[in-house]
Amino acid sequence: LQKTIGSKKEKKKEPKGPKVTEDRAYLENVRVILPNLIHVVGLPKSVANEIILRRPDYLGQFGKIIKISISKPQNYAGSGLSYAAFVTFDSARDAEHALEGVNGLCIDGQRLRASYGSTKYCKQFIEGRKCTKTLCTFLHEITKGTTMTKE
């Protein structure tokens, strides 16, 4: 028998880390509508507080709330100074009930408008890097759901 030298096949070394920049570049303009996230506009100052909104007589009545993010006050559609909030529920069903229960409701003379919320992909994720923000609110994996683009 003849002895062969280097009989093991050499594996090509592939670069470590995902090659994603080109593959994920299209995600930069994508927004994903999340079924468990609602966006409420028109909140008066009296209720624009996470503790108040979590209470059972406000949004807490619709189910378990994971996160609430309240914006700085703005003028919305001529209704005076009001706040907006993104509210993430534990389930899509709870978010749907909250949307139905809150949309059109009037608090302190201000009419609330509610819709499903959308989010975008984290810039770090798009560029193939690990996100270093512990409380990053953007997506870090490809998500199934309704998507739309800025265009």
Side-chain angles (χ1 to χ4, degrees):
L1 292 170
Q2 190 175 19
K3 196 174 191 181
T4 56
I5 299 174
S7 61
K8 290 183 182 178
K9 291 184 180 177
E10 288 187 29
K11 291 184 180 179
K12 290 183 181 178
K13 288 187 179 182
E14 294 186 23
K16 290 191 177 187
K19 64 167 199 177
V20 292
T21 309
E22 297 104 32
D23 296 347
R24 294 185 186 165
Y26 74 96
L27 295 174
E28 203 162 5
N29 293 319
V30 171
R31 301 294 178 264
V32 179
I33 298 171
L34 300 176
N36 66 327
L37 176 67
I38 66 167
H39 184 231
V40 182
V41 177
L43 293 167
K45 185 177 183 176
S46 62
V47 299
N49 176 292
E50 183 174 349
I51 293 169
I52 292 171
L53 291 175
R54 285 182 181 274
R55 290 187 349 204
D57 50 334
Y58 287 95
L59 295 175
Q61 69 183 295
F62 300 107
K64 183 179 178 184
I65 296 172
I66 303 299
K67 182 178 180 182
I68 297 177
S69 178
I70 300 171
S71 70
K72 294 178 183 174
Q74 300 204 7
N75 278 318
Y76 288 101
S79 64
L81 203 58
S82 63
Y83 295 77
F86 282 97
V87 183
T88 306
F89 285 88
D90 188 45
S91 76
R93 185 176 186 151
D94 292 345
E96 180 182 9
H97 290 142
L99 191 132
E100 292 168 354
V102 169
N103 193 38
L105 187 68
C106 199
I107 299 177
D108 294 347
Q110 292 188 212
R111 186 157 313 278
L112 305 184
R113 291 187 320 258
S115 61
Y116 285 105
S118 67
T119 189
K120 60 185 182 177
Y121 287 94
C122 176
K123 186 170 179 75
Q124 302 296 321
F125 172 73
I126 293 170
E127 293 174 354
R129 297 191 309 250
K130 183 175 173 68
C131 180
T132 56
K133 294 181 182 177
T134 54
L135 297 175
C136 184
T137 57
F138 302 120
L139 298 173
H140 297 93
E141 62 185 13
I142 304 292
T143 304
K144 291 182 181 177
T146 305
T147 59
M148 58 187 175
T149 60
K150 282 184 181 179
E151 300 157 359

